[in-house]
Amino acid sequence: MTRAEPGLRGALLDMLRLSLGGAVALGFARFAYALLLPTMREDLGWSFTLSGTMNAANALGYLLGALIAAPLIRRVGLARVFAGAMLLTALTLLACAATGLSVPLLTLRFLSGVGGALVFVSGGGLAALATRAHPERSPLLLGVFYGGAGIGMLLSAALLPPLLTHGWRGAWLALGLAALACIPLSAPALRRLPTHAASATARTPAVSLRPLAWTLAAYTCFGIGYIAYMTFIVAFLKGAGAQAWITPFWALLGLSVALPPFVWAPVTTRLRGARAMTAQMLTLAAGAALPLLGTTPPALLSGALFGGSFLAVVAFTTLITRRTLPEHPWARGIAAFTVLFAAGQVAGPLLIGLLADRAGGLRLGLGVSAAVLLLGAALAWGQGRGRAA
């Protein structure tokens, strides 16, 4: 595509604006915690178990947000849920700067998870509806939307390391202010995009999610495996004596997140079923295992592979929902993926934190992460035996 047609240019711009929701919900509220964790753990005396519990609390809130998302969207619409959840997430990030006590921080991490899930489900619904005008470009448009987490990671890589030399509170404050700034920047897309499915108000029969069963199971494994890596990889690199490489690694990870629309979209278009998801999760498993071979350059290659693939999996779930189900239950399908994803994310940090404290350290934890991702790749292949997605 040498020159985008006017309608497609506008759709890409709207997806870019919507992608700021991913920057806030994942880039700031979820992933940036990995950068803050070593400093907070040293200052507050946390164990790896408590460190993992902080992200598990965020994932538990994400689970609640996913469970309430579909009925809330039916009641007030996608755009209002998206905007309100963005504000909730930004305020909880700001509040994290105010306390070092475990219980209030766990509560705030929980609330930021609720907001993040609502942002992601409503944003995914808006993005799916927006692709109706350009169905042949769905992988590209959805990839741009989900690539917003990479924007958040790049911003956090630029903002946080200098602030962390003076403590972790200023870093939370910067994340909260950046999240607030994203709200008005996303607003023009919310005014233009449809906020309800065309058939949302009609009497429609219930639609089974059984055609998505293999992909739903694979996505649960993805939730466990990916969040374990994203929570502890920075702590692993610091413990391995590679602290000087943490900022370049995180920046490369975030930059690689911008690549899925261009790298994975052609693959997703050609492959049937969830074969593309299998390829993506195999790449993730390789990326999770590489740091076990050494800190650099394997860790940098790990960041490139992981960053270039993990949000491609997230984008694929919206795409396969759109291809497999009729329009009116799209938000329900996306919410189902988000619920199972969140359940996996609750288990992942707790499991790896316990292993790190009581068994083989973070090295074993990363190995388990890679193994779970391999299992998810095998489950996704099962969907590939069915009809084309």
Side-chain angles (χ1 to χ4, degrees), residues 20 28 38 143 166 239 241 307 313 327 337 342 347 351 359 382:
L20 295 176
F28 296 162
H166 304 289
V313 178
E327 184 177 304
F337 275 113
L351 172 64

Side-chain angles (χ1 to χ4, degrees), residues 86-240:
M86 286 272 280
L87 180 59
L88 170 64
T89 308
L91 293 177
T92 59
L93 291 174
L94 285 171
C96 283
T99 180
L101 299 176
S102 297
V103 172
L105 281 171
L106 285 167
T107 303
L108 290 169
R109 295 294 292 152
F110 174 85
L111 291 174
S112 69
V114 174
L118 292 173
V119 168
F120 229 59
V121 174
S122 58
L126 286 164
L129 292 176
T131 61
R132 290 183 303 190
H134 304 280
E136 74 288 354
R137 299 293 190 183
S138 294
L140 175 62
L141 291 169
L142 292 173
V144 170
F145 166 69
Y146 285 110
I151 297 173
M153 294 176 70
L154 283 172
L155 288 174
S156 63
L159 290 173
L160 299 191
L163 295 172
L164 287 169
T165 61
H166 304 289
W168 50 268
R169 294 180 188 270
W172 282 118
L173 185 63
L175 288 172
L177 292 174
L180 283 175
C182 288
I183 297 174
L185 292 175
S186 64
L190 301 184
R191 289 193 292 267
R192 278 193 296 273
L193 293 175
T195 190
H196 288 285
S199 56
T201 59
R203 289 185 175 272
T204 52
V207 175
S208 172
L209 300 182
R210 186 172 297 178
L212 297 172
W214 287 101
T215 321
L216 287 165
Y219 203 53
T220 305
C221 293
F222 170 71
I224 295 171
Y226 113 89
I227 195 59
Y229 177 94
M230 293 298 294
T231 300
F232 290 113
I233 184 60
V234 171
F236 175 83
L237 293 176
K238 185 175 182 180

Side-chain angles (χ1 to χ4, degrees), residues 348-378:
L350 290 174
L351 172 64
I352 304 307
L354 287 169
L355 288 173
D357 281 332
R358 302 180 185 181
L362 289 178
R363 180 171 294 275
L364 174 62
L366 287 178
V368 171
S369 172
V372 173
L373 290 167
L374 279 175
L375 174 60

Side-chain angles (χ1 to χ4, degrees), residues 292-308:
L292 305 179
L293 304 178
T295 51
T296 55
L300 292 179
L301 180 57
S302 166
L305 290 176
F306 212 91

Side-chain angles (χ1 to χ4, degrees), residues 265-369:
V267 177
T268 302
T269 301
R270 288 196 301 268
L271 295 182
R272 295 170 60 86
R275 300 279 169 89
M277 188 178 188
T278 295
Q280 291 157 357
M281 293 189 69
L282 286 173
T283 306
L284 288 170
L290 273 172
L292 305 179
L293 304 178
T295 51
T296 55
L300 292 179
L301 180 57
S302 166
L305 290 176
F306 212 91
S309 302
F310 79 91
L311 281 179
V313 178
V314 181
F316 181 79
T317 61
T318 298
L319 185 64
I320 201 168
T321 298
R322 186 184 178 281
R323 290 175 171 176
T324 306
L325 301 180
E327 184 177 304
H328 71 273
W330 282 354
R332 177 169 163 251
I334 293 168
F337 275 113
T338 308
V339 167
L340 292 176
F341 179 56
Q345 290 183 117
V346 172
L350 290 174
L351 172 64
I352 304 307
L354 287 169
L355 288 173
D357 281 332
R358 302 180 185 181
L362 289 178
R363 180 171 294 275
L364 174 62
L366 287 178
V368 171
S369 172

